[in-house]
């Protein structure tokens, strides 16, 4: 199957589910054993089958199989949030005293998690542009076990050259984790490029309907993914609920058509935003003024549905602009049918100290627009009116 077909069919055999067309919702916490000995065999791993839904659930399993196929991995795990996926893989790959090399910018809570790692376990990190082999090599230490990158970076839309990072990491046996939330596997497939793990806030494009918090982790190696399932995921316990998995399966069926529309709407909005005199900078990966457009085009199928821009006048001007929008909702999150806009300095990245935030390139006047699926002209009209009002 090709990926657009996998979105709809992968992992689901109606014959195994009473000929149901859609994946049934197994809303159960536990499974009944036919005998005490069978329970013993299942716990011992000698017989497959249900044990307890923190260890596996048939609805969740279809989602995991589907995501594994879409990302070209060997195994996948679903979580109760994107942050549960982030924390699980970082706990798996590090021990006290290790070092994590990161992209220059990170989602605010990922940055917060790294702070916890540092204070509690002396696991340090460095943020780097990772722009050249030399820069990557200089930022590595003999304690580096992981390179953790977002690309595009939330919310600056900077791009990391994934092939370059993977090449340098592979030479040194360092594992590469890519947060692919902004792209979804429809636009970018980091495992194909050479990463070891790819993760998502499934809250965003994968689900696409603004009604679930969830995460996905896909790894190259099936045995290692099973090991993570039976250790960090099981014992830290950040699993997804079957209902949320069911909703994401429903959302995934339209990922390709939704992403196409997010992208065409974003392109229309970009053309308009470039004519707005109040905007001093615009960040969109496939914009010809984006300094890393060539790298973006090498690894992404299209520019995605997020545009960030800076308006003159800092936080005060940004807030005045937001307060004059009527159709576009002021909200964090992204990847939904509704167009959403947020102010990273006071919202998603407010936990990042100002000095670090500015070093990440997040100005006080920056706004991040998650372009929805409405008629692009209506979104543009709303933006125009807000600009006129300020
Ligand atoms: N990674 C990225 C790139 C994200 O943008 C987010 C959430 C996460 C991980 C964490 O996922 P969650 O636990 O929320 O499912 N990003 C958000 C954002 O930009 N606005 O609100 C949440």
């Amino acid at each position: 199957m090709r990926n657009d077909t996998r979105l709809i069919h992968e992992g689901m055999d109606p014959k195994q589910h009473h000929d149901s067309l859609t994946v049934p919702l197994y809303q159960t916490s536990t499974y009944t054993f036919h005998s005490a000995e069978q329970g013993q065999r299942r716990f011992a791993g000698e017989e497959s089958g249900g044990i307890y839904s923190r260890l596996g659930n048939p609805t969740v399993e279809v989602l995991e199989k589907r995501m594994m196929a879409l990302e070209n991995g060997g195994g996948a795990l679903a979580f109760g949030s994107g942050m549960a996926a982030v924390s699980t893989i970082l706990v798996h790959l590090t021990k006290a005293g290790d070092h994590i090399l990161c992209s220059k910018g990170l989602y605010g809570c990922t940055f917060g998690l790294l702070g916890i790692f540092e204070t509690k376990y002396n696991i340090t990190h460095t943020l780097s542009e990772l722009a050249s082999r030399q820069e990557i090599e200089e930022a590595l230490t003999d304690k580096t076990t992981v390179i953790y990158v977002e690309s595009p970076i939330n919310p600056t839309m900077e791009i990391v050259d994934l092939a370059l990072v993977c090449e340098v990491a592979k030479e040194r046996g360092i594992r590469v984790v890519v947060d692919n939330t902004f792209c979804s596997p429809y636009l970018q497939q980091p495992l194909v490029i050479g990463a070891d793990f790819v993760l998502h806030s499934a809250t965003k494009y994968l689900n696409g309907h603004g009604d679930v918090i969830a995460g996905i982790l896909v790894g190259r190696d099936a045995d290692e993914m099973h090991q993570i399932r039976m250790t960090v995921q099981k014992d830290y316990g950040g699993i997804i609920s079957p209902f949320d998995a069911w909703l994401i399966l429903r959302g995934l069926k339209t990922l390709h058509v939704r992403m196409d529309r997010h992208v065409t709407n974003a392109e229309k909005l970009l053309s308009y935003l470039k004519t707005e005199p109040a905007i001093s900078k615009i960040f969109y990966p496939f914009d010809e003024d984006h300094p890393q457009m060539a790298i973006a085009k090498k690894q992404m199928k299209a520019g995605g549905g997020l545009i960030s821009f800076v308006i003159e006048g800092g936080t005060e001007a940004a807030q005045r602009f937001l307060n004059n929008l009527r159709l576009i909702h002021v909200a964090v999150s992204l990847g939904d049918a509704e167009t959403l806009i947020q102010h990273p300095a006071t919202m998603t990245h407010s936990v990042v100290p100002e000095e670090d935030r500015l070093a990440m390139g997040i100005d006080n006047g920056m706004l991040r627009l998650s372009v929805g699926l409405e008629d692009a002209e209506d979104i543009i009209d709303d933006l125009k009116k807000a600009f006129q009002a300020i």
Side-chain angles (χ1 to χ4, degrees):
M1 284 189 282
R2 292 163 182 82
N3 264 7
D4 288 2
T5 310
R6 285 176 167 157
L7 284 169
I8 298 161
H9 292 282
E10 184 71 39
M12 173 57 180
D13 178 3
K15 289 191 212 73
Q16 291 176 13
H17 300 282
H18 298 281
D19 302 320
S20 174
L21 171 68
T22 61
V23 179
L25 171 55
Y26 288 89
Q27 188 71 22
T28 187
S29 55
T30 197
Y31 304 85
T32 56
F33 305 131
H34 299 174
S35 67
E37 290 77 10
Q38 185 185 50
Q40 182 181 14
R41 286 196 300 277
R42 288 197 181 171
F43 266 87
E46 294 161 7
E47 180 187 300
S48 61
I51 298 176
Y52 185 63
S53 276
R54 181 153 41 74
L55 281 63
N57 171 282
T59 309
V60 174
E61 195 179 306
V62 179
L63 172 63
E64 291 173 340
K65 281 188 176 156
R66 200 160 289 181
M67 285 308 304
M68 178 184 94
L70 291 167
E71 287 286 13
N72 277 278
L77 299 170
F79 293 86
S81 71
M83 285 316 302
V86 176
S87 54
T88 295
I89 190 58
L90 289 180
V91 167
H92 171 69
L93 292 174
T94 57
K95 62 179 186 323
D98 282 349
H99 171 257
I100 304 170
L101 176 57
C102 304
S103 48
K104 179 185 159 196
L106 293 168
Y107 168 57
C109 295
T110 303
F111 184 84
L113 177 70
L114 291 171
I116 297 174
F117 272 44
E118 184 146 7
T119 44
K120 288 183 82 77
Y121 310 115
N122 189 29
I123 297 168
T124 58
H125 63 272
T126 307
L127 305 191
S128 164
E129 285 197 18
L130 311 171
S132 65
R133 167 175 279 271
Q134 188 187 350
E135 196 174 358
I136 300 167
E137 286 174 344
E138 281 173 7
L140 294 171
T141 77
D142 58 358
K143 300 279 189 197
T144 310
T145 52
V146 192
I147 303 182
Y148 183 96
V149 300
E150 289 178 14
S151 186
I153 295 173
N154 182 2
T156 58
M157 311 306 291
E158 281 164 279
I159 304 294
V160 176
D161 186 335
L162 298 179
L164 174 68
V165 168
C166 293
E167 185 185 299
V168 177
K170 197 161 282 174
E171 287 165 13
R172 288 160 180 75
I174 293 168
R175 318 299 292 281
V176 176
V177 181
V178 178
D179 183 333
N180 202 24
T181 299
F182 272 33
C183 285
S184 88
Y186 185 65
L187 296 184
Q188 178 171 272
Q189 294 172 320
L191 296 186
V192 175
I193 298 171
D196 299 288
F197 298 93
V198 57
L199 62 85
H200 294 269
S201 168
T203 314
K204 313 294 170 12
Y205 291 109
L206 299 181
N207 179 55
H209 292 74
D211 46 18
V212 166
I213 300 277
I216 298 283
L217 174 69
V218 185
R220 186 176 279 291
D221 184 77
D223 291 342
E224 186 173 15
M225 291 305 289
H226 183 69
Q227 188 201 340
I228 299 171
R229 181 192 298 282
M230 300 314 286
T231 55
V232 186
Q233 191 193 36
K234 172 172 77 65
D235 297 341
Y236 279 61
I239 53 138
I240 195 171
S241 85
F243 183 53
D244 287 348
W246 186 86
L247 283 169
I248 296 171
L249 283 165
R250 180 182 162 118
L252 273 179
K253 289 185 191 184
T254 56
L255 178 71
H256 48 337
V257 288
R258 286 187 287 109
M259 289 311 291
D260 282 345
R261 181 63 178 265
H262 283 298
V263 169
T264 51
N265 273 1
E267 287 166 351
K268 287 180 190 167
L269 263 68
L270 180 70
S271 301
Y272 153 66
L273 290 168
K274 294 191 87 157
T275 67
E276 239 339 304
I279 295 179
S280 57
K281 288 184 208 144
I282 301 185
F283 306 95
Y284 185 71
F286 275 35
D287 176 11
E288 52 198 33
D289 294 329
H290 192 298
Q292 297 158 304
M293 184 189 71
I295 303 170
K297 289 204 162 168
K298 190 174 70 160
Q299 60 197 29
M300 293 166 68
K301 181 170 152 183
L306 287 146
I307 304 172
S308 292
F309 55 89
V310 175
I311 61 177
E312 305 279 4
T315 297
E316 200 236 339
Q319 289 182 334
R320 236 177 328 122
F321 177 75
L322 295 184
N323 290 334
N324 278 287
L325 292 164
R326 295 293 171 265
L327 174 70
I328 299 170
H329 293 300
V330 180
V332 295
S333 204
L334 57 103
D336 293 326
E338 297 84 356
T339 296
L340 307 178
I341 193 164
Q342 66 109 4
H343 182 234
T346 59
M347 296 178 185
T348 52
H349 290 69
S350 58
V351 294
V352 182
E354 187 171 25
E355 193 187 334
D356 296 309
R357 178 167 58 70
L358 294 173
M360 285 183 185
I362 306 172
D363 291 355
N364 291 335
M366 179 179 276
L367 293 167
R368 188 196 71 195
L369 188 65
S370 169
V371 180
L373 304 177
E374 302 95 338
D375 188 313
E377 293 307 320
D378 286 326
I379 311 171
I380 291 170
D381 284 348
D382 200 36
L383 291 166
K384 273 186 188 162
K385 283 183 191 142
F387 274 117
Q388 278 158 13
I390 64 161

